[in-house]
Amino acid sequence: MPAAYPQLQHRPASAEDLHEIVRFPQDADELFFAYPKASWPLTVGQLAAAMAERRGSTVALLDGKVAGFANFYQWQNGEFCALGNMMVAFWARGQGVAQYLIEAMERQAREQYKARLMKVSCFNANAGGLLLYTRLGYQPRTIVERHGPDGRRVALVQMDKPLMD
């Protein structure tokens, strides 16, 4: 565990964690940012279905309590992993959980999938996410049009970062 995050740890997510994780998104917009295909409010069933289709579901623990969640929604051995379902509990925000978890997922991508690239996608309205990913070295590659839950046009900024050994 890096010294910069003495109170943070991570481990594979379990079914027992789902009841806590579904409470992370505070509103429909936050849920859309983390899991666009889900419907508000997030349910254990929706999250369990996502975990079944995805790989590397991981929780970050802040002082032993589940504080963050992420997984890979795409992966190609030796090539890339794409980060998905990135969420941090409201009470844990501003304490380095997102950065810690993203770095843990980058290590997992390198070590388990031999990925040379990590991809992330972030909606234009998620300023906090865009700023965090940019600060962590992610570069915008393209912007694609999507539609929000209300049908309005939104921009999905697709970014990536080379993963060094």
Side-chain angles (χ1 to χ4, degrees):
M1 175 169 40
Y5 310 108
Q7 73 281 19
L8 288 164
Q9 298 175 300
H10 64 281
R11 62 168 170 74
S14 68
E16 293 76 39
D17 298 323
L18 299 183
H19 292 282
E20 190 67 33
I21 297 165
V22 297
R23 299 195 323 230
F24 289 0
Q26 296 294 293
D27 57 36
D29 288 337
E30 283 189 13
L31 177 58
F32 180 70
F33 294 161
Y35 188 4
K37 292 180 181 176
S39 56
W40 177 258
L42 182 58
T43 64
V44 168
Q46 289 180 91
L47 191 55
M51 281 180 60
E53 296 172 351
R54 297 172 179 225
R55 297 291 180 271
S57 291
T58 301
V59 292
L61 306 172
L62 177 59
D63 296 327
K65 188 173 176 189
V66 175
F69 175 79
N71 55 36
F72 300 126
Y73 70 92
Q74 292 178 335
W75 57 94
Q76 189 167 355
N77 284 324
E79 297 294 325
F80 71 89
C81 288
L83 186 69
N85 292 153
M86 180 69 206
M87 299 181 239
V88 174
F90 184 76
W91 60 268
R93 294 178 188 175
Q95 299 183 61
V97 173
Q99 179 173 336
Y100 173 84
L101 185 53
I102 291 165
E103 290 171 355
M105 297 302 288
E106 290 172 355
R107 279 192 306 279
Q108 185 179 155
R110 275 194 310 271
E111 294 168 7
Q112 293 181 13
Y113 296 91
K114 307 297 182 221
R116 296 184 307 230
L117 190 72
M118 178 77 97
K119 297 181 178 186
V120 299
S121 294
C122 192
F123 287 102
N124 62 291
N126 185 356
L130 290 169
L131 294 169
L132 174 64
Y133 290 128
T134 300
R135 184 167 51 80
L136 295 179
Y138 288 85
Q139 296 291 316
R141 297 297 174 212
T142 190
I143 298 174
V144 295
E145 182 176 331
R146 293 285 190 264
H147 290 91
D150 60 1
R152 289 187 189 171
R153 296 169 62 204
V154 296
L156 183 64
V157 181
Q158 296 178 334
M159 310 171 86
D160 62 42
K161 174 183 174 179
L163 297 177
M164 305 303 174
D165 289 337

